[in-house]
Amino acid sequence: MADVDVAFIQEPPHRPNPSLIQEAQGIPLIDLSCPDVDALVDDVGHACRQWGFFQIINHGVPPDRRHKLEEVASKFFHLSLDEKRKVRRDVRKVLGYYDTEHTKNVRDWKEVYDYAVQEPTLAAASLDEDDDRVAHWENQWPENPPEMREVCQEYAKEMVELGKRLMELIAMSLGLPAGRFEEFLKDPTSTMRLNYYPPCPSPHLTLGVGRHKDPGVLTILAQDDVGGLEVKRKSDGQWVAVKPIPNAYIINVADVIQVWTNGEYESVEHRVMVNSTKERFSIPYFLNPSRHTVVKPLEELTDEQNPAKYRPYKWGKFQLRRKLSNFMKLDTENIQIQHFKV
C-alpha cells in the first residue's frame, strides 16, 4: 500500500527504481576560469551537443551569496503552511509560494517559491495572438524571514551576470558573435525558484519533479549535497544521477536554445528523485527571453541543406499559457516545443 496520496503516484513506467540508477559518467565539468578562451568555447559546444547538460566551477559567484539564499530558503519552507500561503500564487498573482505543482498531470512531491528577476516583469496579458497588452508581474515578498527579499535579489544579480557569460560562450561555440543573443534577452522574463523536497514515505512511487524539459533559454541550478537530479542520457535513453559537486552549478540547455540552434543543441529530459530520510533544497535560475521575442531557428544556422525544423512562436504567449496551465487545466501536450516542429 502507498503511504502517499494517489495524486503523487507516477504511472508504473515512470516510477523511479533506485536499484537501477546509475551515476552519470562523463557529464562535462567545465572550469570557467580557464584562460584559453578557444578551449573553453570548444568545451561548452561539446557539452551542449553531446549532453545538453554540464557542470561549471570557478564561475565567479561568491559562495556566501548562495549559502545565504540556502539558509533563507530553509527558514521560509519551515514556516507554518498558513504563513507560507500568505504569498501563495494564483491565476492573477503568478509568482510566489505554491505546493500543488503538477508535471504531466501528476503532482510533484515539493513546495516552491517563485520570484521574478526583473521587477516588475513585463509579460503577455492575454493568450490572444493579436492582443499586445502587457501585464506587470510583481513579486510577492513574505514578511518572514525578514531578510528574504534582499538575499533573493542579491543572488539573482549574480545569476544574471553568469547567464550573460554562458550565453556568450554558447554563441561563440556556434560560430556566432558573442553578443548574438543579446537582442532576445532585453527586458527578460527570467525567474528564480526555491525548491523544497520534504522526506517522502514512498520514494519508489513518487518524484520530486516528474520527467520534463525546461521551456526557456537556459537553466542554472544550484543543488545541495543530498542530490536527486537525474538526466536522461542522450546516447542510450537511460536515467543517470548527477552527483553534487560543492559550489558547482549545473547548466542545462532549454527548449528555446534548441529552436534557435535548429536542433543542434537539444533540450534534455530530466527529473528529481526524493528519499524517505532527508529533505532536499535546490535553486534554479530560469533564463527566459523578453515577451515580444519570436522564437525561431536563427538564419545563420539554417540553409537549403538544413532547413528550419520549427515554426516561429511568440514567447510571451507561450509562457503565459504554461503559467496558466497549473490553474486552468489547459492541455499541456499542446504547450511543448514539439508542437512547433515543421
Side-chain angles (χ1 to χ4, degrees):
M1 292 290 290
D3 294 320
V4 298
D5 189 282
V6 67
F8 293 100
I9 297 177
Q10 296 283 326
E11 290 294 322
H14 304 299
R15 290 175 188 170
N17 187 341
S19 65
L20 296 180
I21 295 303
Q22 308 172 46
E23 186 176 304
Q25 300 295 325
I27 284 188
L29 178 63
I30 298 176
D31 185 344
L32 290 191
S33 68
C34 174
D36 187 338
V37 176
D38 290 339
L40 185 55
V41 167
D42 287 346
D43 287 346
V44 169
H46 179 268
C48 290
R49 286 186 185 91
Q50 298 301 315
W51 280 90
F53 263 80
F54 55 97
Q55 298 203 63
I56 58 171
I57 56 174
N58 296 322
H59 38 67
V61 178
D64 68 301
R65 291 280 169 88
R66 176 168 165 174
H67 296 158
K68 285 179 180 178
L69 186 54
E70 291 169 342
E71 289 173 358
V72 85
S74 179
K75 289 179 183 179
F76 174 76
F77 286 116
H78 286 105
L79 294 173
S80 69
L81 188 58
D82 286 344
E83 187 72 15
K84 288 181 287 192
R85 284 183 171 174
K86 289 179 181 179
V87 290
R88 193 174 194 270
R89 74 184 199 213
D90 56 33
V91 70
R92 290 170 310 212
K93 298 177 181 178
V94 299
L95 301 166
Y97 172 77
Y98 204 58
D99 58 355
T100 53
E101 185 120 321
H102 289 67
T103 302
K104 297 189 184 301
N105 299 314
V106 179
R107 188 170 170 185
D108 296 327
W109 189 268
K110 68 173 181 179
E111 300 174 30
V112 306
Y113 175 81
D114 293 327
Y115 67 97
V117 172
Q118 184 167 299
E119 190 174 11
T121 287
L122 305 181
S126 164
L127 295 177
D128 185 342
E129 292 293 322
D130 298 319
D131 187 344
D132 293 327
R133 287 179 300 162
V134 176
H136 292 72
W137 289 357
E138 303 279 357
N139 289 325
Q140 296 191 80
W141 296 110
E143 293 181 4
N144 292 301
E147 71 273 22
M148 185 161 169
R149 179 174 187 165
E150 181 180 355
V151 171
C152 284
Q153 290 175 330
E154 289 301 311
Y155 182 83
K157 291 176 184 177
E158 300 293 342
M159 291 299 98
V160 169
E161 292 306 310
L162 181 56
K164 286 179 181 177
R165 186 172 182 208
L166 289 168
M167 291 307 297
E168 289 175 353
L169 292 170
I170 289 172
M172 294 166 68
S173 75
L174 293 161
L176 303 172
R180 179 62 180 90
F181 296 114
E182 287 180 1
E183 64 178 292
F184 307 121
L185 302 173
K186 296 174 181 175
D187 294 322
T189 55
S190 303
T191 59
M192 294 285 315
R193 168 168 286 185
L194 309 181
N195 283 320
Y196 172 56
Y197 304 95
C200 177
S202 299
H204 60 294
L205 298 176
T206 64
L207 288 167
V209 186
R211 70 197 191 284
H212 69 287
K213 298 181 178 182
D214 293 346
V217 176
L218 193 77
T219 302
I220 303 175
L221 176 72
Q223 67 168 342
D224 63 16
D225 59 2
V226 175
L229 176 66
E230 294 180 347
V231 178
K232 197 169 190 179
R233 189 163 50 200
K234 290 174 65 174
S235 61
D236 58 10
Q238 293 297 310
W239 288 106
V240 292
V242 182
K243 182 180 179 180
I245 296 175
N247 293 320
Y249 284 101
I250 299 167
I251 313 300
N252 71 274
V253 168
D255 288 347
V256 171
I257 283 185
Q258 179 170 325
V259 174
W260 280 342
T261 64
N262 205 33
E264 184 172 353
Y265 292 174
E266 287 186 72
S267 179
V268 176
E269 224 173 14
H270 50 287
R271 66 183 187 181
V272 175
M273 299 268 282
V274 289
N275 67 79
S276 60
T277 59
K278 294 182 179 180
E279 62 184 7
R280 176 179 182 266
F281 295 89
S282 70
I283 306 168
Y285 164 60
F286 300 111
L287 175 58
N288 296 326
S290 61
R291 75 187 186 285
H292 47 68
T293 295
V294 176
V295 180
K296 61 182 180 180
L298 297 179
E299 292 181 4
E300 305 98 305
L301 303 180
T302 56
D303 54 32
E304 290 184 2
Q305 286 71 44
N306 183 35
K309 299 174 183 176
Y310 304 91
R311 292 183 288 107
Y313 62 95
K314 296 178 180 178
W315 169 256
K317 305 297 183 183
F318 180 86
Q319 183 186 39
L320 179 61
R321 183 173 293 275
R322 287 185 61 93
K323 282 283 186 186
L324 295 179
S325 68
N326 261 307
F327 306 106
M328 299 173 64
K329 306 300 181 185
L330 298 178
D331 180 6
T332 56
E333 293 303 313
N334 285 328
I335 50 177
Q336 307 295 324
I337 63 164
Q338 285 78 4
H339 182 67
F340 299 101
K341 278 191 172 179
V342 174

